C-alpha cells in the first residue's frame, strides 16, 4: 500500500519535477525553463482538445457536474447511477459510472462493490485527494487485467459526500491496440477529471483527527500538525509538508510514508520501525 500511495501522490507536488531535474544536473534556471515549457505544453494540449471536441455537460441532482464528448460518449440514467458509455467499444461495455450511496461510508461501499471483482489480493488499494477537489479525501480500488482478457480492468474511487458516498467507476475492456485503448481511456478520463460540485460538504468521518500533536524526545520537541484539508506538517528535525489519510502520513513530495493510528488524544506514528507517541495539544 505504501508504494501505491507514493505513486499516487508523486504528481501532487511540483517539487517532484524540481528534484528530478536536480538529479540530472539541472540548475535553477533550467528547472524554471523546464517548468514553463511543461506548463505551455499542457496548456496547448488543453486548447487543442477543446478545439477538437465540443464537450457537452451533465449535471446531476446530487450536485455534481461533468463534461463529456457526445461524439464518443452516450449518457444513460437508471438504477441510481449515471453511466457514460464509450461508443468506440462495439459492445458498449467500456464506461464511466457515477453514483451516490446515501447513509453509507466509502469503505463500506467499496467493500460491497469489490466483493464481485474476484481475488481480493489482486485489488490494489490507495488513498488521495478526491477528484475535483483540493481538500477532500478518497479511497481507490484498482483491478488491472491484461490486454485481451475477457474480464475488464476496473477502477473505483469513493469519497464521503454530503452524508453518504460518491462513487466514481471506470470499467475498461482492453483490446491490446494502443490507439484504441488510449482513445477509450481518454474519453473516460475527460468525464472523471472534469467533475465539479455545487456543494461538497465537510467530511465528518475525519473530524476527530485534525490537530497538533507533540512529543518530547532527547530534549527536543517533535510535532505533527494535521489540518482539516488533509495537509499537514511533520516537525522532527526539519519541517516537512505532508498529507494524511486514514492510516498513513505521506510526504507531499512522495518521498516517504509513515503508518499512524489515533487512540483518544494520542497519535502514534511508526517512524522507521519505532512507534512514537504524540499527545494532542489543546
Amino acid at each position: 500500500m505504501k508504494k501505491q500511495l507514493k505513486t499516487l501522490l508523486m504528481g501532487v507536488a511540483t517539487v517532484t519535477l524540481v528534484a528530478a531535474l536536480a538529479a540530472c544536473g539541472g540548475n535553477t534556471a533550467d528547472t524554471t525553463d523546464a517548468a514553463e515549457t511543461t506548463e505551455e505544453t499542457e496548456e496547448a494540449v488543453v486548447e487543442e482538445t477543446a478545439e477538437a471536441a465540443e464537450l457537452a455537460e451533465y449535471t446531476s441532482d446530487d450536485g455534481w457536474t461533468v463534461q463529456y464528448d457526445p461524439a464518443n460518449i452516450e449518457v444513460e440514467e437508471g438504477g441510481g447511477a449515471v453511466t457514460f458509455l464509450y461508443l468506440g467499444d462495439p459492445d458498449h461495455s467500456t464506461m464511466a459510472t457515477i453514483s451516490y450511496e446515501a447513509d453509507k461510508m466509502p469503505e463500506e461501499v467499496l467493500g460491497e462493490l469489490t466483493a464481485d471483482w474476484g481475488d481480493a489480493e489482486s485489488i490494489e488499494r490507495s488513498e488521495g485527494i478526491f477528484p475535483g477537489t483540493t481538500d477532500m479525501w478518497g479511497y481507490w480500488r484498482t483491478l488491472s487485467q491484461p490486454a485481451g482478457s475477457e474480464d475488464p480492468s476496473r477502477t473505483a474511487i469513493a469519497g464521503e459526500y454530503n452524508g453518504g458516498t460518491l462513487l466514481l467507476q471506470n470499467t475498461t475492456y482492453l483490446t491490446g491496440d494502443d490507439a484504441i485503448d488510449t482513445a477509450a481511456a481518454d474519453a473516460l478520463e475527460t468525464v472523471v477529471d472534469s467533475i465539479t460540485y455545487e456543494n461538497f460538504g465537510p467530511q465528518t468521518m475525519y473530524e476527530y483527527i485534525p490537530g497538533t500533536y507533540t512529543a518530547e524526545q532527547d530534549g527536543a520537541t517533535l510535532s505533527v500538525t494535521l489540518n482539516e484539508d488533509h495537509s499537514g506538517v511533520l516537525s522532527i528535525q526539519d519541517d516537512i509538508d505532508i498529507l494524511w489519510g486514514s492510516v498513513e502520513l505521506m510526504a507531499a513530495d512522495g518521498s516517504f510514508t509513515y503508518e499512524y493510528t489515533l487512540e483518544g488524544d494520542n497519535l502514534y506514528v511508526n517512524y522507521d520501525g519505532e512507534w512514537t507517541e504524540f499527545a494532542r495539544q489543546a
Side-chain angles (χ1 to χ4, degrees), residues 113-127:
L113 174 68
T114 59
D116 297 328
W117 283 15
D119 183 12
E121 293 185 359
S122 299
I123 300 172
E124 299 177 3
R125 298 167 176 251
S126 56
E127 300 180 14

Side-chain angles (χ1 to χ4, degrees), residues 62-121:
D62 293 320
W64 53 264
T65 297
V66 297
Q67 294 182 326
Y68 65 94
D69 180 359
N72 291 315
I73 293 291
E74 178 181 324
V75 180
E76 290 188 355
E77 300 170 299
V82 182
T83 300
F84 300 85
L85 293 167
Y86 177 60
L87 299 177
D89 178 350
D91 296 325
H92 292 182
S93 300
T94 291
M95 66 187 76
T97 304
I98 304 177
S99 58
Y100 176 71
E101 299 280 350
D103 303 319
K104 289 185 179 181
M105 290 295 97
E107 291 183 290
E108 178 184 0
V109 171
L110 288 172
E112 294 173 355
L113 174 68
T114 59
D116 297 328
W117 283 15
D119 183 12
E121 293 185 359

Side-chain angles (χ1 to χ4, degrees), residues 56-60 64-68 82 84 98 168 190-196:
E57 195 170 82
Y58 179 93
T59 298
S60 166
W64 53 264
T65 297
V66 297
Q67 294 182 326
Y68 65 94
V82 182
F84 300 85
I98 304 177
L168 315 179
T190 295
V191 176
V192 175
D193 290 350
S194 68
I195 193 165
T196 58

Side-chain angles (χ1 to χ4, degrees), residues 30-214:
D30 293 336
T31 300
T32 302
D33 292 342
E36 291 175 350
T37 300
T38 300
E39 184 177 352
E40 291 172 358
T41 301
E42 291 174 348
E43 290 176 352
V45 169
V46 170
E47 291 175 359
E48 290 173 4
T49 301
E51 292 175 359
E54 291 189 13
L55 300 181
E57 195 170 82
Y58 179 93
T59 298
S60 166
D61 291 339
D62 293 320
W64 53 264
T65 297
V66 297
Q67 294 182 326
Y68 65 94
D69 180 359
N72 291 315
I73 293 291
E74 178 181 324
V75 180
E76 290 188 355
E77 300 170 299
V82 182
T83 300
F84 300 85
L85 293 167
Y86 177 60
L87 299 177
D89 178 350
D91 296 325
H92 292 182
S93 300
T94 291
M95 66 187 76
T97 304
I98 304 177
S99 58
Y100 176 71
E101 299 280 350
D103 303 319
K104 289 185 179 181
M105 290 295 97
E107 291 183 290
E108 178 184 0
V109 171
L110 288 172
E112 294 173 355
L113 174 68
T114 59
D116 297 328
W117 283 15
D119 183 12
E121 293 185 359
S122 299
I123 300 172
E124 299 177 3
R125 298 167 176 251
S126 56
E127 300 180 14
I129 299 297
F130 195 76
T133 77
T134 59
D135 57 357
M136 301 297 177
W137 205 246
Y139 298 82
W140 271 249
R141 299 291 184 270
T142 304
L143 178 64
S144 300
Q145 299 287 357
S149 171
E150 295 183 358
D151 297 321
S153 291
R154 302 179 185 271
T155 298
I157 310 170
E160 181 189 355
Y161 178 74
N162 298 342
T165 292
L166 191 63
L167 178 65
L168 315 179
Q169 301 180 65
N170 275 6
T171 303
T172 307
Y173 286 83
L174 299 177
T175 66
D177 184 315
D178 288 344
I180 294 175
D181 293 341
T182 298
D186 288 346
L188 300 188
E189 286 174 6
T190 295
V191 176
V192 175
D193 290 350
S194 68
I195 193 165
T196 58
Y197 309 94
E198 180 180 346
N199 176 39
F200 201 130
Q203 294 180 316
T204 58
M205 65 185 291
Y206 306 107
E207 62 185 5
Y208 68 98
I209 296 178
T212 296
Y213 304 82
T214 63

